[in-house]
């Protein structure tokens, strides 16, 4: 790629993302929409949207910053929305998702139980970004989550690891580097392709029966690479490439979860497939 193209692509992506982010959320609420909102334990799911939606942040994210756009987007469409913090390391504030992922899945399990108890719902839907789209699969497979979850929607999930544009392939050339990452930030080590965690997670298939899976990927992802590794295989899986929906969308790994309303529209479709509408570039303004 020519140098000017290397500069132009991220600049174009930034301008497009800024335009998407400034579009006001829809103000119309369904008559049956709950009157309470994000992380409000008094929120009761409506007949139209009978399951609470739990948002699961990515590595270095948290329950607020990761969802400043998506949580209101879903609230405006009548959902009870919740989010959690997980994977905190001792002495590291604000940035989560760095602890061992199997332990993070246990925290998710406890949080799902808390939300179901508060809302009275039988099942929840999970929407996760990056590690947050992959980690719940451990909960579903090994911690009994499949009985409590209807759907898992992953935005740029690193389901088979994150090479970070190939950087992790260089670790063998730096003796001790992999051990240092595992000792200091085990959540990062667990996401390296070939890790013991990922080997266990993906052994015997990507999915479990009874859960609807959706993966929304972008070909401009620079973290969960190669981007096709995000896809899942199974009988109830819908793998989506963002650029097949809107070729103009240049969102990369972070933007797809933070403020891409085209991706958000596809999330809404996955949560309510009976009322899904076609996702296109125009969805940025819906």
């Amino acid at each position: 790629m020519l140098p000017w193209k290397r500069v132009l692509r991220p600049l174009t992506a930034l301008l497009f993302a800024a335009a998407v982010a400034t579009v006001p959320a829809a103000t119309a609420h369904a008559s049956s929409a709950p009157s309470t909102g994000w992380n409000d334990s008094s929120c009761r799911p409506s007949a139209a949207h009978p399951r609470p939606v739990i948002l699961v942040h990515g590595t270095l994210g948290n329950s607020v910053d990761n969802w400043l756009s998506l949580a209101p987007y879903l609230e405006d469409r009548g959902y009870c929305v919740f989010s959690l913090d997980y994977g905190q390391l001792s002495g590291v504030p604000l940035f989560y998702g760095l602890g061992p992922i199997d332990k993070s899945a246990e925290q998710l399990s406890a949080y799902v139980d808390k939300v179901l108890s508060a809302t009275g719902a039988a099942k929840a839907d999970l929407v996760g970004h990056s590690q947050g789209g992959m980690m719940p699969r451990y909960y579903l497979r090994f911690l009994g989550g499949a009985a409590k979850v209807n759907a898992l929607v992953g935005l740029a999930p690193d389901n088979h690891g994150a090479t970070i544009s190939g950087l992790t392939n260089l670790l063998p050339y730096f003796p001790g580097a992999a051990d240092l990452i595992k000792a200091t930030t085990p959540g990062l080590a667990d996401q390296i392709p070939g890790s013991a965690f990922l080997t266990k997670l993906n052994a015997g298939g990507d999915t479990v029966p009874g859960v609807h899976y959706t993966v929304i990927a972008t070909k401009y992802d620079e973290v969960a690479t190669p981007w096709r590794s995000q896809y899942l295989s199974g009988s109830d899986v819908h793998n989506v490439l963002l650029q097949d929906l809107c070729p103009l969308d240049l969102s990369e790994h972070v933007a797809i979860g933070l403020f891409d309303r085209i991706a958000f529209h596809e999330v809404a479709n996955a949560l309510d497939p009976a009322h899904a509408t076609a996702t296109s570039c125009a969805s940025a303004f819906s």
Side-chain angles (χ1 to χ4, degrees):
M1 181 181 292
L2 295 176
W4 67 269
K5 289 187 177 180
R6 292 184 182 273
V7 175
L8 181 60
R9 192 174 79 182
L11 178 59
T12 304
L14 179 62
L15 292 174
F16 181 80
V20 171
T22 57
V23 177
T27 57
H29 287 60
S31 59
S32 60
S35 59
T36 54
W38 184 14
N39 277 341
D40 190 322
S41 60
S42 67
C43 186
R44 296 295 176 266
S46 65
H49 301 301
R51 293 176 299 275
V53 177
I54 298 174
L55 304 178
V56 190
H57 64 75
T59 306
L60 299 176
N62 60 61
S63 61
V64 176
D65 294 346
N66 217 137
W67 308 119
L68 291 174
S69 295
L70 181 56
Y73 182 95
L74 294 175
E75 281 185 275
D76 284 342
R77 284 151 181 79
Y79 289 92
C80 287
V81 182
F82 299 85
S83 62
L84 77 155
D85 289 316
Y86 69 85
Q88 184 180 25
L89 293 179
S90 178
V92 181
L94 301 177
F95 301 105
Y96 297 81
L98 296 172
I101 298 182
D102 57 348
K103 300 302 180 183
S104 294
E106 293 176 4
Q107 295 172 32
L108 174 62
S109 177
Y111 190 78
V112 171
D113 287 347
K114 177 182 177 180
V115 170
L116 293 181
S117 177
T119 60
K123 288 188 175 184
D125 289 324
L126 306 180
V127 178
H129 179 215
S130 191
Q131 180 190 162
M134 173 271 288
M135 176 269 281
R137 293 178 49 226
Y138 189 95
Y139 162 59
L140 298 177
R141 180 178 292 275
F142 299 108
L143 303 178
K148 303 173 184 179
V149 172
N150 169 72
L152 170 61
V153 183
L155 289 160
D158 54 340
N159 282 313
H160 299 94
T163 69
I164 316 177
S165 297
L167 287 178
T168 61
N169 297 330
L170 300 177
L171 286 175
Y173 298 98
F174 297 88
D179 291 337
L180 178 62
I181 293 173
K182 185 174 182 179
T184 57
T185 53
L188 296 181
D190 284 345
Q191 295 177 76
I192 296 174
S195 70
F197 174 82
L198 287 172
T199 299
K200 178 180 179 179
L201 176 65
N202 293 311
D206 291 342
T207 63
V208 296
V211 179
H212 309 293
Y213 295 84
T214 299
V215 172
I216 305 172
T218 169
K219 68 180 181 181
Y220 299 118
D221 202 306
E222 73 280 31
V223 177
T225 51
W227 64 262
R228 288 182 178 83
S229 68
Q230 300 172 28
Y231 283 178
L232 296 172
S233 298
S235 59
D236 197 352
V237 172
H238 182 45
N239 293 313
V240 181
L241 179 63
L242 197 57
Q243 284 71 37
D244 286 342
L245 306 176
C246 175
L248 298 177
D249 194 325
L250 303 183
S251 289
E252 41 65 70
H253 185 79
V254 175
I256 192 175
L258 263 58
F259 45 69
D260 191 323
R261 291 176 67 90
I262 296 170
F264 294 175
H265 187 273
E266 195 64 13
V267 169
N269 282 345
L271 295 175
D272 188 8
H275 300 95
T277 58
T279 301
S280 67
C281 295
S283 300
F285 308 100
S286 63

